[in-house]
Amino acid sequence: MAEKDEADLYAVLGVEATVDVDELKKIYRKLVLKCHPDKVRNPDEKPAAEKRFQEISKAYEILSDPVKRTQYDQRAGAAGAKTDDVMMNISLKDSALGCRKLVHCSRMQPCVPCKRIGMICHPCTDCTGPGLNSCPICEGKGFKPAVTCTACKGAGVTEEFDAATVTVPVGAKTGDHIDIPGKIRSVRVNVLPSKLFKRVGDDVHSTLKLTAKEAEEGGPFDVETLFSKEMIFLEENVASGKTYTIEGKGFPIKMAETTAKKKPKPKSGNHIVTVDVQRIQQADASWEEKVPPTSENPKEPAKRPAESPVQEDSTNKKLKTSTEGVTSDEPPAEDDLAKLLAEKKKALLASLGL
C-alpha cells in the first residue's frame, strides 16, 4: 500500500486511475492555467496557491512517466496494481500482434550464512579454541563479537531472481495482469506510447504528413500500419484534417464483444489516417530553388541580386549635370531654357547618329 504521507495523485489532478497519457496532458494544462500562483492577487492566499500548484506539478511528473506511474500504482494499489506485481513494458505493436517476453521475478530467500538472524559471529583466529580465558579477543568464547551479515545486510533474507517466459495475448492493454507460469505472482502490462500510432478503443490512429504540392496533386500514398504498409488514394487539393479509414488494420475485437444477430462487427478495428498538410514555406523559397549554386560556394544557392535603381537616360543625366551648378532660387529665363533644351536635343541626335 502507499505510504501514509503520500497523496492520492489521481485525486490531485481530478482524474481516474485509468486515464490515458493524452487526456492527462490536457487536464494538466487546464489546471496550470487555472491554478497558477501568479493569478492570485490576495497575498494571504498566495502560499496555499503555491502549495496547490506544486502538488499538481508533482502529480503530473509521476503519472506522465510510465515507469514512475507503474511504481506508484504498485505502492498505492491503484488501477488494480499489486505490490508484488512484476512490471513488463511492451510496445504498441507487441500489444496488437501478441508476443512472448522474458521476465525476471524476484523472491526473498532466508539468508544461509547468518541463518536468517542478520548477525554473524566469525571464529576467533587469535586463540586455539574455546576455554582460553587469556585470549584478549574472544575472552575464551572461541568466536569474535557479532557483526552485521554482509550477505543480507542484516535483513536476514536475500533477494534472488528467477527467469520466466510470459505469453502476452493479442490486444493486451495497460493494466492487464498475466500469470507467470509456475509462480504465484503475475506481471502487470504497461504499453509504451508510440510516436507513430495511437490506440483509441479497438482503432489505431496515425497522421499522414504531406507537402502543399503533394496535397494539391493527390494520388497514391503508402501508410505505415501496425501490421504492414497499405496504400491509400487521395483526391486532389486534399485539406488538413481529412480522414481515411483502412478497414481491419486495428486491434482485434474480443469475441465476447461481437454481436452476431443482424450485422456482425468486423474481427478487428480499423486504422484511421488523418491528413496533415505542411504549408510552412518561405516567400522566396521558389526563387532560391530555381537558382543553381554559385561557383564560389557550390553548397549554397546564389543570393538574389540587389534591386538596382532605375537608370536615367542620357538626356536627363546631362540635364541634371548642367543644372547642378545653379544655386539661384529663381527659375531660369524662358530664352535660356529654350536654348538649353535645343542644345540637349542636338547632342541627343548626334549621339544617335542622326
Side-chain angles (χ1 to χ4, degrees), residues 308-314 316-317:
S308 59
V310 180
Q311 296 183 352
E312 300 176 307
D313 56 33
S314 59
N316 292 337
K317 187 175 181 181

Side-chain angles (χ1 to χ4, degrees), residues 24-35:
L24 185 69
K25 185 182 297 184
K26 294 179 182 178
I27 294 175
Y28 171 70
R29 289 176 178 175
K30 292 180 180 178
L31 290 175
V32 168
L33 295 175
K34 179 181 178 181
C35 304

Side-chain angles (χ1 to χ4, degrees), residues 194-323:
S194 171
K195 295 182 178 180
L196 300 178
F197 310 110
K198 178 183 178 182
R199 180 176 182 176
V200 180
D202 294 316
D203 295 332
V204 177
H205 290 243
S206 67
T207 301
L208 177 62
K209 293 184 178 182
L210 303 176
T211 63
K213 184 177 181 180
E214 290 174 335
E216 181 181 357
E217 295 177 352
F221 290 90
D222 288 334
V223 175
E224 188 75 29
T225 70
L226 289 172
F227 308 94
S228 61
K229 282 188 177 181
E230 299 291 333
M231 181 178 292
I232 61 174
F233 189 85
L234 308 184
E235 64 273 15
E236 296 179 356
N237 298 318
V238 63
S240 290
K242 177 74 174 180
T243 59
Y244 295 85
T245 301
I246 304 177
E247 296 184 356
K249 293 300 179 179
F251 278 81
I253 299 176
K254 295 180 181 179
M255 295 301 295
E257 299 177 358
T258 57
T259 57
K261 287 187 177 180
K262 295 183 179 179
K263 188 177 180 181
K265 290 185 178 181
K267 294 182 180 180
S268 298
N270 301 322
H271 188 112
I272 312 299
V273 182
T274 303
V275 175
D276 181 17
V277 181
Q278 308 294 312
R279 299 191 180 277
I280 303 177
Q281 295 181 345
Q282 297 291 340
D284 295 339
S286 59
W287 183 88
E288 292 180 357
E289 291 176 356
K290 297 178 182 179
V291 179
T294 60
S295 58
E296 297 178 357
N297 190 357
K299 294 183 179 181
E300 296 184 359
K303 295 183 179 180
R304 182 190 292 273
E307 297 291 340
S308 59
V310 180
Q311 296 183 352
E312 300 176 307
D313 56 33
S314 59
T315 304
N316 292 337
K317 187 175 181 181
K318 293 179 180 180
L319 179 61
K320 180 178 179 181
T321 304
S322 62
T323 57

Side-chain angles (χ1 to χ4, degrees), residues 15 54 97 102 114 194-195 231 248 270 287 329:
V15 297
Q54 291 176 358
L97 301 177
L102 182 67
C114 69
S194 171
K195 295 182 178 180
M231 181 178 292
N270 301 322
W287 183 88
D329 295 336

Side-chain angles (χ1 to χ4, degrees), residues 9 13 24 28 54-69:
L9 302 184
L13 299 179
L24 185 69
Y28 171 70
Q54 291 176 358
E55 292 175 350
I56 293 173
S57 301
K58 180 181 178 182
Y60 179 74
E61 178 185 357
I62 295 175
L63 298 182
S64 60
D65 185 276
V67 176
K68 293 181 179 179
R69 180 174 179 175

